[in-house]
Amino acid sequence: MTTSFTHPALIMIVGALILPFVRGPLRKPYLFLVPLLAMGAVISNSALSGEFGLYRFMDWQLIFGRVDRLSTVFALIMGLMAIIGTLYGLHVDNAKEHMAAWFYVAGSLGTIYCGDYLSLFFFWEMMAFASTFLIWFRRGERSLAAGYRYLIIHTIGGIILLAGIMLRYQAVGDIAFNLLDVAHPELYTWLIMIGFGLNAAIVPLHSWLPDAYSEGSFNGSVFMCAFTTKTAVYTLARGFAGFDILVLLGVVMALYGVIYAVMENDIRKLLAWSIVSQVGYMVAGVGIGTELAINGTAAHAVAHILYKGLLFMGTGSVLYMTGKTKFTELGGLYRKMPATMVLTIVGCLSISAAPFFAAYVSKPMIISAAFETHLNWAAWILMFAATGTFMYNGLKLPYFLFFGPNNCSDETWNKAADPTWNMQMAMTAGAALCILVGSAPTLLYSLLPYPVPYHPYGGYHLAETLQILGFGALAFFMLKRYLEPEDVICLDMDWLYRKAGRAFVWIARNPIQWFDTAWGEAYRVVGMGPLMVISRFWSWFDWHGIDGVVDGIARCVRAMGGRVRTLQSDQIQYTIYFSATFAAILLIAYALFQLS
């Protein structure tokens, strides 16, 4: 049995590496085949239970395949979303964009199946770097800057996570990724939680999300809305179930996202703020930590991926066909994009937790878990946030996009139409799954981590939901004139970031630059003056001392050379002649003297 585990992340990575070499008519079938194979591997793995893909690396045990009910339900929805997202962008003739999306999916699946912090960190960073390209591939005016900000923020989060992992290893001596002792948190507990929480867009670490997801390519944002935050929710559920602070953070997220989504003018940024709000329910569920709460978190993650993917596909279709994403530049599109309108409304009803739609069977599980644990304040606030969700997503988005005043220019209106067949098929699949999950939740419930019975279609719950929707509809139509979109920038924590950035620039230009200038001047006066005196002395000594000796020796050598040259001239012949003659005379005189 241990050999039957097949890692879907490996299929996605190998498929991405081969993709550039598959061209022509084989490209589209290949694009659809690879995520299907990955999904097949996930389904095959779901029959297993235990740890697989164990490798020894130095002193550490790496676990690439931990299979249990929690990892299985998340892996199944991620694999399904990979298929739908690839189908949605099937006509995109850019192998690099598909490669980035598949590496992104591989990072998510790798994180979900891993059982140790080292492999988790590897796949975690793979997600961050691969998804950055899905922002850059839009090639918009702000996409480059948004992508860099996204990458920087996630790099900082990765560093914090790595610091927590290292401190934990130092403290306990292993790298196993399991439930932490949240009752007695250490410094590494907080650091790891912050690293995970940044990817989950926990307030105040959330500002990267609306900026990045609204600037991604039309199909890249479909992937991004599904994988980063929900993978982070999985890691929180795996490592921090029952951590009380997450209840408060989740409730703040749920309210905070509603407030800014109501004010937003950009349709995709509205959905991005909605992610902050909806993930808040999941984070609160993790914080509650009971079996029902964890089931609700997992169920809501599945529902959220389906309906949020559908909504990003609908608004992505508007962007793809018209090139516009602002309410103040759109409106009245039901006449030009009827199929997109119907499918998008299914997503709007699903996120609003309308009966027979996806979130109806998941979101109330978390609220019920809060009531069961006597966290009444959290439950009531989450219910109030659900009313806001219906206002901005169930009513504002479809009304001002499809039915409200027509703000389209002639060029935009002429370009507006339902998108290509593959985009409509992907949206249809997403809408069908939203209705299936909401109408027949038994299959979803059978996949959840714990066998906790929950019956969403009781009379009390149904009446409660209808009251919430009715109150939300009444509030919307009473306040509609105050909710009309305006072409303004809504700053939240960005205001603090921008002020901090300006403060940093001021500090760099003023005190730091002044100190650098003063130091340079002091060095010039105090340091350079004596240095120049010493330099001038050594220059004089070199010229008059060392150079004098060297030059004197050189002159002597040159004079001797002149003498030698004289000997080597034609006069040497006469010198030899006279010398020889004189020597001969001396020899003759000596000989005569001896004879006498």
Side-chain angles (χ1 to χ4, degrees):
M1 290 293 291
T2 58
T3 60
S4 62
F5 177 81
T6 303
H7 209 307
L10 182 61
I11 296 175
M12 299 300 294
I13 291 172
V14 173
L17 295 175
I18 296 174
L19 179 60
F21 304 100
V22 182
R23 301 181 180 182
L26 296 177
R27 172 68 65 82
K28 289 183 179 180
Y30 180 80
L31 283 172
F32 198 63
L33 175 64
V34 171
L36 278 178
L37 292 175
M39 184 61 178
V42 172
I43 294 173
S44 175
N45 295 337
S46 64
L48 305 175
S49 180
E51 295 180 346
F52 307 89
L54 276 63
Y55 294 94
R56 197 74 185 174
F57 178 71
M58 300 176 64
D59 295 331
W60 303 312
Q61 180 71 55
L62 305 184
I63 304 171
F64 289 99
R66 176 173 52 191
V67 183
D68 57 18
R69 294 177 68 87
L70 181 62
S71 62
T72 294
V73 67
F74 275 88
L76 284 170
I77 189 57
M78 298 304 184
L80 183 59
M81 195 61 209
I83 297 173
I84 295 175
T86 301
L87 175 61
Y88 183 74
L90 197 64
H91 63 290
V92 175
D93 189 21
N94 185 352
K96 295 177 182 178
E97 188 164 357
H98 292 293
M99 290 175 68
W102 285 359
F103 270 98
Y104 183 30
V105 175
S108 175
L109 290 170
T111 301
I112 289 168
Y113 276 120
C114 74
D116 65 274
Y117 279 105
L118 187 59
S119 56
L120 180 146
F121 184 76
F122 170 76
F123 287 113
W124 194 262
E125 292 305 295
M126 182 187 294
M127 279 199 307
F129 283 91
S131 55
T132 302
F133 289 94
L134 298 179
I135 304 171
W136 285 339
F137 279 129
R138 183 183 176 184
R139 297 182 176 88
E141 294 180 1
R142 298 185 64 251
S143 299
L144 182 63
Y148 275 121
R149 178 189 183 186
Y150 177 87
L151 183 60
I152 291 171
I153 292 296
H154 283 276
T155 300
I156 294 172
I159 293 171
I160 295 172
L161 174 60
L162 182 60
I165 293 172
M166 294 173 65
L167 289 175
R168 182 188 177 278
Y169 178 73
Q170 185 182 39
V172 303
D174 68 68
I175 58 172
F177 174 39
N178 294 309
L179 181 65
L180 295 171
D181 184 7
V182 295
H184 305 91
E186 303 288 343
L187 175 59
Y188 64 78
T189 310
W190 292 102
L191 291 176
I192 294 173
M193 191 273 285
I194 292 172
F196 291 159
L198 188 144
N199 272 28
I202 288 178
V203 177
L205 308 175
H206 67 285
S207 293
W208 59 268
L209 192 152
D211 186 45
Y213 287 15
S214 62
E215 291 299 326
S217 64
F218 78 93
N219 58 317
S221 291
V222 174
F223 283 92
M224 296 181 73
C225 76
F227 290 94
T228 297
T229 50
K230 265 60 73 184
T231 304
V233 167
Y234 167 81
T235 58
L236 289 171
R238 176 72 71 183
F240 292 91
F243 199 12
D244 292 339
I245 188 64
L246 293 178
V247 178
L248 176 61
L249 293 173
V251 169
V252 171
M253 290 174 67
L255 281 179
Y256 201 88
V258 166
I259 293 170
Y260 278 91
V262 167
M263 298 187 295
E264 189 53 59
N265 181 43
D266 189 290
I267 56 176
R268 297 205 305 168
K269 189 169 284 189
L270 179 150
L271 296 180
W273 281 115
S274 173
I275 292 176
V276 175
S277 178
Q278 296 302 301
V279 172
Y281 286 86
M282 304 173 214
V283 171
V286 172
I288 295 169
T290 62
E291 291 185 349
L292 179 60
I294 298 300
N295 273 4
T297 296
H300 199 47
V302 172
H304 181 269
I305 288 173
L306 293 175
Y307 64 66
K308 190 59 66 176
L310 175 57
L311 288 169
F312 265 96
M313 285 189 285
T315 55
S317 298
V318 174
L319 169 63
Y320 180 72
M321 298 305 297
T322 67
K324 305 296 182 182
T325 60
K326 293 184 178 181
F327 287 117
T328 51
E329 298 174 335
L330 297 166
L333 293 179
Y334 77 94
R335 288 175 287 178
K336 302 285 286 187
M337 306 179 71
T340 303
M341 176 201 69
V342 172
L343 296 170
T344 302
I345 289 177
V346 172
C348 293
L349 292 173
S350 296
I351 191 176
S352 302
F356 307 107
F357 293 90
Y360 178 80
V361 301
S362 60
K363 189 184 297 185
M365 295 177 72
I366 300 172
I367 298 174
S368 298
F371 277 123
E372 285 186 1
T373 52
H374 307 291
L375 294 171
N376 295 337
W377 63 272
W380 282 109
I381 293 176
L382 292 176
M383 289 178 64
F384 179 75
T387 303
T389 300
F390 181 56
M391 287 181 61
Y392 71 76
N393 227 139
L395 297 172
K396 177 182 177 178
L397 178 65
Y399 177 78
F400 288 107
L401 181 58
F402 296 109
F403 304 107
N406 186 346
N407 300 313
C408 299
S409 65
D410 292 339
E411 180 184 4
T412 301
W413 184 255
N414 292 331
K415 290 192 298 184
D418 281 320
T420 60
W421 66 270
N422 60 291
M423 296 172 73
Q424 293 191 54
M425 282 188 63
M427 288 189 289
T428 301
L433 288 169
C434 284
I435 296 173
L436 178 63
V437 168
S439 302
T442 306
L443 177 60
L444 172 61
Y445 288 172
S446 68
L447 298 173
L448 297 179
Y450 302 104
V452 177
Y454 182 76
H455 305 287
Y457 282 101
Y460 177 81
H461 178 210
L462 187 61
E464 180 183 70
T465 300
L466 293 176
Q467 291 175 26
I468 291 173
L469 297 179
F471 179 77
L474 179 63
F476 175 78
F477 286 105
M478 290 182 62
L479 303 173
K480 186 173 65 174
R481 62 175 180 174
Y482 301 106
L483 299 176
E484 290 184 2
E486 299 180 13
D487 191 12
V488 296
I489 297 175
C490 295
L491 290 177
D492 65 311
M493 293 296 175
D494 270 345
W495 184 86
L496 295 176
Y497 297 149
R498 295 185 185 193
K499 291 296 184 182
R502 290 180 181 178
F504 176 79
V505 172
W506 183 87
I507 292 172
R509 287 180 175 176
N510 292 281
I512 294 179
Q513 183 62 49
W514 176 87
F515 178 79
D516 181 70
T517 303
W519 175 261
E521 185 66 19
Y523 178 76
R524 185 184 67 82
V525 175
V526 178
M528 291 297 293
L531 183 63
M532 291 302 296
V533 172
I534 295 172
S535 299
R536 284 193 291 268
F537 167 76
W538 281 110
S539 176
W540 175 89
F541 180 77
D542 177 68
W543 179 257
H544 293 88
I546 298 175
D547 285 356
V549 173
V550 173
D551 291 347
I553 294 173
R555 285 192 291 269
C556 291
V557 172
R558 186 172 61 183
M560 292 175 62
R563 298 299 181 185
V564 173
R565 282 198 307 272
T566 302
L567 292 175
Q568 291 177 345
S569 65
D570 291 342
Q571 296 178 4
I572 194 170
Q573 299 173 2
Y574 298 102
T575 302
I576 294 172
Y577 172 75
F578 288 119
S579 298
T581 302
F582 181 70
I585 293 172
L586 290 177
L587 287 173
I588 293 171
Y590 178 75
L592 291 175
F593 176 76
Q594 292 294 328
L595 291 174
S596 61

